[in-house]
C-alpha cells in the first residue's frame, strides 16, 4: 500500500476492498509492527487527500480507520526524526527575520514531523499567517531520487 501512496496512484475499488479486508485480518491478529502501522497511516491520509469524494473508497477503509484508531498517528508521532544542516540554516534565517519558529514540530492530527513551524504572533508585525502557523519543509538532496524527483514521504508532505 505504501507504493500506491508514493506513486500517487489510486488502486481500483475492488483492489481497495480486498486490501481493506486483508488489513483488518492483520489488525485483528496484531500482525503489524511500528513501520507497517506508519505506512498504513500514511496510506489512509493519502486516501483522504486524494479521493475525498469517492464513497467506494470511504466505505472500503472506514472500518480500517475505526479499528486502527490513533495507533497509526501515534506511530508516526513517535518515529525518530533527522535534522540536516540545511534545515538548521533555514530555521536560523527564519528566526533572524524575527519569527518565532519551532523546529521538528509534531502535527497533532497526522503525527507528521514538520521541519519548521512558524508560530502565529502579533508581535512580529505580520498579519498574513494562519492561526495554526506556517509549516516549512526543508527538502534537501536526500528527499529526492538522483537529486531531481521527490520520493516517498516528501511527496505526501506536499
Amino acid at each position: 500500500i505504501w507504493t500506491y501512496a508514493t506513486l500517487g496512484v489510486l488502486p481500483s475499488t475492488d483492489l481497495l476492498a480486498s486490501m481493506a479486508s486483508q488489513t483488518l485480518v492483520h489488525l485483528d491478529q496484531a500482525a503489524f509492527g511500528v513501520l507497517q502501522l506508519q505506512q498504513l497511516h500514511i496510506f489512509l491520509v493519502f486516501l483522504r487527500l486524494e479521493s475525498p469524494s469517492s464513497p467506494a473508497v470511504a466505505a472500503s477503509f472506514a472500518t480500517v480507520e475505526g479499528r486502527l484508531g490513533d495507533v497509526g498517528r501515534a506511530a508516526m508521532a513517535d518515529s525518530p526524526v533527522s535534522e540536516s544542516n540545511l534545515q538548521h540554516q533555514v530555521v536560523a534565517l527564519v528566526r533572524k527575520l524575527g519569527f518565532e519558529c519551532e523546529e521538528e514540530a509534531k502535527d497533532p492530527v497526522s503525527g507528521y514531523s514538520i521541519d519548521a513551524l512558524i508560530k502565529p504572533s502579533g508581535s512580529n508585525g505580520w498579519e498574513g499567517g494562519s492561526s495554526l502557523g506556517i509549516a516549512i519543509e526543508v527538502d534537501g538532496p536526500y528527499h529526492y531520487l538522483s537529486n531531481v524527483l521527490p520520493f516517498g514521504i516528501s511527496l505526501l508532505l506536499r
Side-chain angles (χ1 to χ4, degrees), residues 52-131:
S53 62
S54 171
V57 171
S60 292
F61 276 91
T63 306
V64 172
E65 282 189 297
R67 190 86 47 89
L68 184 64
D70 197 43
V71 174
R73 189 209 58 77
M76 286 297 298
D78 293 341
S79 63
V81 296
S82 61
E83 301 170 6
S84 68
N85 285 333
L86 177 60
Q87 178 180 328
H88 292 300
Q89 291 171 0
V90 169
V91 169
L93 285 172
V94 168
R95 289 180 176 148
K96 188 174 182 178
L97 291 171
F99 294 100
E100 185 179 346
C101 185
E102 179 182 352
E103 198 164 3
E104 293 302 335
K106 294 288 183 172
D107 176 60
V109 176
S110 68
Y112 290 166
S113 178
I114 300 167
D115 290 344
L117 178 65
I118 298 176
K119 297 180 177 184
S121 169
S123 64
N124 59 26
W126 182 67
E127 302 294 330
S130 161
S131 63

